[in-house]
Amino acid sequence: MLAVAVGMGGFTSPDRFDRTMVTVSRLADGGIQPQAAVDGLGGVHVIFFRGEPAHGDLFYIGSTDSGRSFSSAIRVNSTPGAAIAAGTVRGGQIAVGRTGRVHVAWNGSRSVGPASTPMFYTQLNNDRTAFEPERNVMHGAYNIDGGGAVAADRNGHVYVAWHANAPGEREEGKRRVWVARSVDEGRTFEPERAAFDEPTGACGCCGLGAFADRRGVMYVLFRSAFDVMNRDMYLLTSRDLGVHFSGRRIDRWDIGACVMSTQAFAQGASGMFTAWETGL
């Protein structure tokens, strides 16, 4: 089921929640892994997965009444079976940009992509009736594993981020975060570039998060994989529209395992917030 908050002020105390502020809607026909985004006018946009985990489909539903009712589902991927839901970290990701345009990115299915799993991107068309044919924005990197992310700002910049190896490398400790940037609202993308030069590696089966705030600052949160045991969280920040990133470690976790963690971002009146799993 999908729970959507439809108003502010639902929290009356840290241990009490006003249930009248929440609408619960069941995803159609067994949909799983919902992701939601809210636009500047209060519209709610949701994508979800349906089908076989290794080759299923993404669907989109929208609401103009703060989640009380939703539109009929529209398939996101134009090629049937182009999406995957292998593990909770590899599903579709959604962002809303300028004029409320919906952008979606996801790890593609090997059944429709090249030998290396593609990183697909698409957007809702101008009439909001269908999604454009998906495009693979990963060209130089390869060996993608954990889930990617998409971010969009108010000025038409769109970013697709993921972690993968450079050509000729395979070790987890040499994985890097890559960002493909669009300056024309997703119509075209520049070739992906490595976002961070420090040799942190990236946890292979972990997801990463991406977000562009109201000022156009772009953030990426990912889990490292340095010397196997160092599964630390790193926050990357770009203040020049994704051209350069600075990075810093914000949490430590020493564990010799791939923890399949996820990340989330949100912006509120008091600033930016992010969250991630840590510990067992």
Side-chain angles (χ1 to χ4, degrees), residues 60-74:
Y60 165 84
I61 54 177
S63 172
T64 58
D65 57 6
S66 299
R68 296 178 180 85
S69 62
F70 284 90
S71 63
S72 299
I74 302 172

Side-chain angles (χ1 to χ4, degrees), residues 2-43:
L2 169 65
V4 180
V6 299
M8 299 295 290
F11 288 98
T12 57
S13 70
D15 58 353
R16 183 182 176 188
F17 184 75
D18 183 355
R19 294 178 181 272
T20 64
M21 303 301 290
V22 174
T23 297
V24 178
S25 302
R26 184 177 295 277
L27 293 173
D29 301 326
I32 61 172
Q33 295 186 351
Q35 295 287 324
V38 178
D39 63 32
L41 298 176

Side-chain angles (χ1 to χ4, degrees), residues 18 51 70 78 93 110 138 157 178 194 217 232 249 272 279:
D18 183 355
F70 284 90
S78 60
Q93 302 294 317
R110 289 183 182 272
M138 185 171 70
H157 300 93
W178 304 84
V217 180
D232 305 329
R249 184 174 59 196
M272 284 292 302

Side-chain angles (χ1 to χ4, degrees), residues 37 52 54 60 70 111 167-170 173 179 186 191 202 236 240-241 246 253 267 275:
E52 294 296 323
Y60 165 84
F70 284 90
S111 65
E169 297 178 347
R170 295 200 62 85
V179 177
L236 307 183
D240 59 2
L241 305 175
S246 60
W253 191 1
Q267 185 167 17

Side-chain angles (χ1 to χ4, degrees), residues 22 79 95 113 124 133 215 255:
V22 174
T79 304
L124 195 60
R215 301 168 299 164
I255 181 172

Side-chain angles (χ1 to χ4, degrees), residues 106-168:
W106 69 95
N107 291 38
S109 167
R110 289 183 182 272
S111 65
V112 297
S116 179
T117 304
M119 188 69 211
F120 280 140
Y121 163 84
T122 186
Q123 61 176 255
L124 195 60
N125 64 16
N126 291 333
D127 296 329
R128 300 177 182 266
T129 57
F131 281 82
E132 298 177 353
E134 61 267 16
R135 290 170 277 156
N136 182 16
V137 297
M138 185 171 70
H139 302 293
Y142 83 109
N143 193 28
I144 192 172
D145 185 359
V150 61
D153 67 19
R154 295 177 170 182
N155 296 313
H157 300 93
V158 183
Y159 309 90
V160 181
W162 65 93
H163 57 79
N165 287 111

